[in-house]
Amino acid sequence: MAERLNGHTLLVSLIATPIRHSLSPTMWNEAFAKKGMDYAYLAFEVGNEQLEDAVKGIRALDIQGSNVSMPNKQKIIPLLDELSPAAEMAGAVNTVVNQKGHLVGHVTDGTGCMRALREEGVEIKDRIVTLTGAGGAGTAIAIQAALDGAKEIRIFNIDDEHYETARENVRKINEKTNTLASVTPLTDQAAFKQSLAESSVYIDATSVGMKPLQDESLINDSDLIRPDLVIFDVVYSPAETKLLRFAREHGAKQAYNGLGMMLYQGAEAFRLITGEDMPIAHVKQALGLN
């Protein structure tokens, strides 16, 4: 990369914590190098406490745009100037585009997840989906699944600050789409098990499975695993979470981590920030996804 950096190099950032495990810098910088673009992408360890200063830094340093991950996807919204329609509906942002100091928030997690599933031959349309998690990623996935025609979306979440978000997501989906949505406390394990039994797709959009929760899983009963149940875990580091390992050991035929979602949400963010298409085949090869 050093030979590409000069006084005109433009910067794109990633603000989240924890973030040093992220493959996004590799993905973006490989794309820049392949296309000969005078850009660099850097990750910054930023939580809610530093978020306001980080956003000021995006403006002050003329950073071209930024990816945003946990725990900042919702907290960043009041700090921005404008939201895309999808981000406004989702109430979450994972991509910020700097338009000469005017910061516009977008969300690409949902489209990334749906495309990752589609690439594996899994269609959401007319399917029942069980979804755990109602943070930024879970919200975007729920909204996009509804927009893509899921029959039902059954959200399960612990009783934390995101539970009210889940209620609001359900209201929006039921009012604005033809998808039937519901939310249930994750403590209601009977309802969770029943939902999994009736679902075609299970998506875990929580941070369970990544450090420091790498030894935990929301599914520990082998009776819940069926060969025809598609299991998708948004976590990609580690590449095989406890959930995916358990599912594969007990007969799951389609169990995927979040690498594909990261790739395709990143490709959309790349287009939004740079106006260019990401060279997906090259990035896949660089990430070992071929």
Side-chain angles (χ1 to χ4, degrees):
M1 180 192 290
E3 64 275 12
R4 293 194 300 110
L5 299 180
N6 57 64
H8 300 282
T9 301
L10 300 175
L11 180 62
V12 179
S13 65
L14 167 61
I15 51 176
T17 188
I19 204 55
R20 296 308 176 193
H21 67 283
S22 177
L23 293 177
S24 291
T26 300
M27 179 172 71
W28 283 69
N29 288 315
E30 283 285 345
F32 292 148
K34 178 66 174 178
K35 293 180 72 76
M37 298 173 65
D38 196 3
Y39 281 77
Y41 184 103
L42 293 176
F44 296 95
E45 205 66 58
V46 174
N48 291 166
E49 298 78 11
Q50 304 87 25
L51 186 58
E52 184 174 356
D53 287 340
V55 172
K56 289 178 181 177
I58 292 172
R59 297 182 197 271
L61 300 175
D62 195 29
I63 294 173
Q64 299 299 290
S66 184
N67 284 145
V68 183
S69 194
M70 297 182 290
N72 300 321
K73 292 183 177 184
Q74 292 160 318
K75 296 291 187 180
I76 199 171
I77 288 176
L79 306 175
L80 304 177
D81 302 306
E82 184 183 347
L83 296 179
S84 71
E88 187 168 2
M89 185 174 177
V93 163
N94 79 328
T95 301
V96 175
V97 179
N98 187 352
Q99 299 177 347
K100 298 181 179 179
H102 183 81
L103 302 186
V104 183
H106 298 261
V107 62
T108 67
D109 283 327
T111 53
C113 180
M114 295 302 107
R115 182 170 175 185
L117 286 169
R118 198 174 303 117
E119 291 288 323
E120 300 293 346
V122 179
E123 292 293 339
I124 287 291
K125 185 174 173 58
D126 299 326
R127 300 285 191 95
I128 298 176
V129 179
T130 294
L131 170 68
T132 47
T139 292
I141 290 168
I143 296 297
Q144 195 62 47
L147 293 174
D148 286 358
K151 180 180 179 181
E152 286 188 47
I153 300 170
R154 301 171 179 178
I155 303 170
F156 289 81
N157 201 78
I158 60 174
D159 189 10
D160 63 3
E161 70 272 16
H162 296 307
Y163 197 85
E164 191 55 42
T165 300
R167 288 183 186 273
E168 183 64 11
N169 294 339
V170 165
R171 182 189 66 78
K172 291 176 183 176
I173 290 169
N174 286 332
E175 286 183 2
K176 299 181 179 182
T177 75
N178 294 322
T179 298
L180 177 63
S182 62
V183 58
T184 305
L186 189 55
T187 50
D188 189 342
Q189 284 291 292
F192 182 53
K193 292 178 181 180
Q194 182 66 29
S195 182
L196 287 172
E198 296 171 353
S199 295
S200 299
V201 180
Y202 168 59
I203 301 174
D204 186 336
T206 72
S207 59
V208 174
M210 76 185 270
K211 291 182 180 180
L213 305 174
Q214 68 270 25
D215 296 323
E216 298 185 24
S217 170
L218 296 180
I219 295 180
N220 297 286
D221 182 350
S222 60
D223 289 341
L224 301 179
I225 307 298
R226 311 187 317 270
D228 63 333
L229 176 65
V230 177
I231 296 177
F232 188 93
D233 192 335
V234 302
V235 172
Y236 62 84
S237 181
E240 185 176 66
T241 59
K242 184 178 179 181
L243 166 64
L244 295 180
R245 184 167 60 254
F246 183 83
R248 290 163 180 160
E249 288 173 351
H250 292 90
K253 300 298 184 185
Q254 291 185 281
Y256 307 108
N257 65 23
L259 272 173
M261 174 176 162
M262 184 201 66
L263 174 66
Y264 295 118
Q265 65 82 18
E268 177 62 12
F270 189 94
R271 185 190 66 79
L272 289 167
I273 291 173
T274 70
E276 300 276 347
D277 290 330
M278 178 177 280
I280 288 179
H282 173 76
V283 171
K284 277 186 173 182
Q285 185 177 21
L287 294 178
L289 296 180
N290 288 335

